[in-house]
């Protein structure tokens, strides 16, 4: 599954022009600390990131990419995240569905 999710995400990111020339984009992040009841979303924002030559969203198992819904369906790591191009013309969301499948949607203005 990891190779398929990574390859599909990268293909779509290129096709929909997510990346800047330096392969940078914005990643939605939650800056709150564990056990913090942030009901107002005050700790959420965007981080400017760069895709390195060696990257792996799925196998990285970065906790911020872990899907809360995926955790209910399986013990394996399932990513769920949102990214936006630097010019705000492309939004992509990778999510897990109730049947455990992962997909990415892209919106381009």
């Amino acid at each position: 599954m990891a190779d398929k999710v990574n390859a599909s995400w990268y293909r779509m990111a290129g096709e929909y022009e997510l990346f800047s020339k330096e392969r940078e984009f914005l990643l939605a992040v939650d800056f709150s600390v564990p056990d913090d009841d942030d009901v107002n979303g005050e700790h959420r924002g965007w981080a400017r990131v760069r895709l390195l030559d060696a990257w792996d969203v799925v196998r990285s198992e970065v906790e911020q990419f872990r899907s809360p819904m995926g955790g209910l369906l399986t013990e394996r790591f399932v990513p769920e995240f949102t990214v936006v191009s630097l010019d705000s013309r492309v939004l992509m969301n990778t999510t897990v569905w109730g049947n455990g499948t992962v997909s990415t949607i892209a919106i381009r203005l």
Side-chain angles (χ1 to χ4, degrees):
M1 178 193 101
D3 290 338
K4 187 175 183 178
V5 172
N6 282 330
S8 295
W9 180 84
Y10 186 77
R11 179 189 52 77
M12 288 182 72
E15 179 180 330
Y16 287 92
E17 301 175 354
L18 172 71
F19 305 125
S20 70
K21 290 180 182 177
E22 295 79 24
R23 296 183 7 152
E24 292 182 325
F25 54 95
L26 301 175
L27 172 68
V29 294
D30 183 351
F31 294 106
S32 63
V33 294
D35 302 326
D36 181 15
D37 293 330
D38 178 23
V39 294
N40 296 322
E42 296 174 10
H43 300 292
R44 293 189 179 101
W46 297 98
R48 187 174 182 152
V49 297
R50 177 178 293 138
L51 191 66
L52 300 175
D53 290 335
W55 63 274
D56 190 333
V57 172
V58 180
R59 288 186 193 91
S60 69
E61 297 194 9
V62 173
E63 193 60 33
Q64 288 81 355
F65 285 158
R66 183 178 299 279
S67 166
M69 174 63 93
L72 298 174
L73 304 170
T74 180
E75 291 187 22
R76 69 179 159 83
F77 178 83
V78 179
E80 191 166 43
F81 57 98
T82 301
V83 295
V84 173
S85 62
L86 296 183
D87 64 6
S88 300
R89 295 183 53 100
V90 176
L91 177 136
M92 290 177 51
N93 178 262
T94 298
T95 191
V96 62
W97 299 98
N99 63 1
T101 60
V102 176
S103 65
T104 298
I105 61 168
I107 300 169
R108 181 173 48 192
L109 300 174

